Amino acid sequence: MIKQITTCMLLFIGFSNNLKAQFDGFSHEIGIIAGPVAFQSDYGERYDFSTNAGNSGIGIGLVHYLNFTFDSNYNYTSRSYFNDHFKLRSELSFVSSKLNHFGEFVDPSKISLDAQQLRAMSGSTTVTNLGTQIEFFPLSIRDFSAVIGSFAPFVSFGGQISYYSAKASSTLGPLGTPATTFPKYLTPSEGRPHGFSTESATVWSLVSSVGTRYKLNDSADLMVDLKLQYYFSNWVDGLNPNPEIYKENKANDWLIWFSVGYIYYL
């Protein structure tokens, strides 16, 4: 995993340098973001609060922005709607989450083998993301930059390439036998021998967020950001019961990430 993170960091630096070379006439911002992650997966019961609260983790990331309002010497560029309302954001992030089954089917009052198997089962996933998104600010970026203490709400949309590493295990013993594994996870699924997998792979994802900036001073902002990330795979969490049989688990994995960030103007 360290090797994969190092590789992604080098890609991020190269990607940012390439953006700088291509858009050297604009100003740049860098920052760090961090906050809690709620992973929406095949673990637990759908629409259950304990599932949403329990299958959570932490995320941290580095961000780079192209600010089209100012040039590299921090002089105003020619005024246009695009320059005054959009920024281009590149991001390298890492999220990690522990995963367990929650809800009525694992209630302590349940004493069946199925309930015991579900309670004994746990997993985890770590995901490294690299990508770009465009941020739209409905209010003027130029006006926001001129007033300390002002706010700049935004929405964004983009894509990322994500490298995940998922694990699944049971305190009853190795998964893959009727004695340790809930029946729906024993069925072959999408080319795998079972509906669970301990694997690492690369997948594309879409991201969308809503947030706001707060102007601290001439060279720094605080940012809060609520992001939804949708993966084009149902294996990111390590579980994927056969979707042809178990329709309730056919949705791909996704997460919600609330982050707080510090953005510095170069």
Side-chain angles (χ1 to χ4, degrees):
M1 176 53 68
I2 294 176
K3 180 180 179 181
Q4 297 295 334
I5 295 173
T6 302
T7 301
C8 285
M9 290 184 69
L10 292 175
L11 286 172
F12 178 76
I13 293 171
F15 183 63
S16 295
N17 287 338
N18 183 62
L19 283 177
K20 189 178 190 304
Q22 296 297 320
F23 298 94
D24 202 37
F26 303 108
S27 60
H28 300 264
E29 307 164 14
I30 58 172
I32 185 169
I33 57 175
V37 171
F39 209 93
Q40 309 297 306
S41 74
D42 294 315
Y43 280 90
E45 186 179 346
R46 184 182 296 183
Y47 309 126
D48 179 69
F49 176 78
S50 61
T51 296
N52 296 331
N55 288 334
S56 60
I58 190 72
I60 187 169
L62 301 174
V63 292
H64 169 271
Y65 289 89
L66 278 177
N67 187 334
F68 304 106
T69 306
F70 303 97
D71 63 22
S72 56
N73 295 316
Y74 214 70
N75 298 311
Y76 284 123
T77 58
S78 58
R79 191 154 196 168
S80 69
Y81 188 85
F82 180 84
N83 288 3
D84 200 29
H85 292 273
F86 289 91
K87 291 185 181 183
L88 186 65
R89 167 176 168 175
S90 52
E91 178 182 308
L92 170 65
S93 62
F94 176 80
V95 298
S96 176
S97 180
K98 299 289 186 181
L99 302 167
N100 294 96
H101 291 287
F102 295 91
E104 64 173 303
F105 299 107
V106 294
D107 189 275
S109 63
K110 306 286 186 180
I111 60 173
S112 66
L113 177 60
D114 287 352
Q116 294 177 49
Q117 290 171 337
L118 289 174
R119 282 195 294 265
M121 190 177 191
S122 64
S124 66
T125 188
T126 57
V127 189
T128 303
N129 308 285
L130 177 67
T132 302
Q133 56 200 94
I134 190 78
E135 289 191 357
F136 169 65
F137 294 78
L139 304 180
S140 167
I141 295 175
R142 183 179 295 201
D143 292 346
F144 165 72
S145 301
V147 181
I148 295 175
S150 60
F151 289 88
F154 64 84
V155 294
S156 74
F157 183 80
Q160 296 185 347
I161 185 169
S162 303
Y163 176 84
Y164 69 87
S165 182
K167 296 181 180 179
S169 62
S170 173
T171 58
L172 297 177
L175 290 171
T177 70
T180 63
T181 312
F182 189 67
K184 71 189 298 184
Y185 304 121
L186 288 174
T187 307
S189 178
E190 296 187 347
R192 276 78 163 183
H194 305 294
F196 67 89
S197 177
T198 297
E199 65 177 19
S200 299
T202 301
V203 62
W204 290 100
S205 60
L206 291 178
V207 292
S208 182
S209 65
V210 58
T212 188
R213 288 201 187 192
Y214 173 78
K215 174 60 67 178
L216 281 176
N217 52 53
D218 289 337
S219 59
D221 299 340
L222 286 180
M223 180 182 74
V224 292
D225 186 24
L226 182 65
K227 179 193 297 181
L228 186 151
Q229 183 163 10
Y230 175 86
Y231 298 100
F232 288 100
S233 172
N234 199 14
W235 289 102
V236 179
D237 64 341
L239 288 187
N240 184 11
N242 191 314
E244 298 299 320
I245 302 173
Y246 304 103
K247 304 295 185 180
E248 71 275 14
N249 294 115
K250 66 180 180 179
N252 287 342
D253 299 321
W254 55 284
L255 62 79
I256 299 174
W257 180 8
F258 176 78
S259 63
V260 177
Y262 178 82
I263 311 299
Y264 181 75
Y265 291 69
L266 297 178

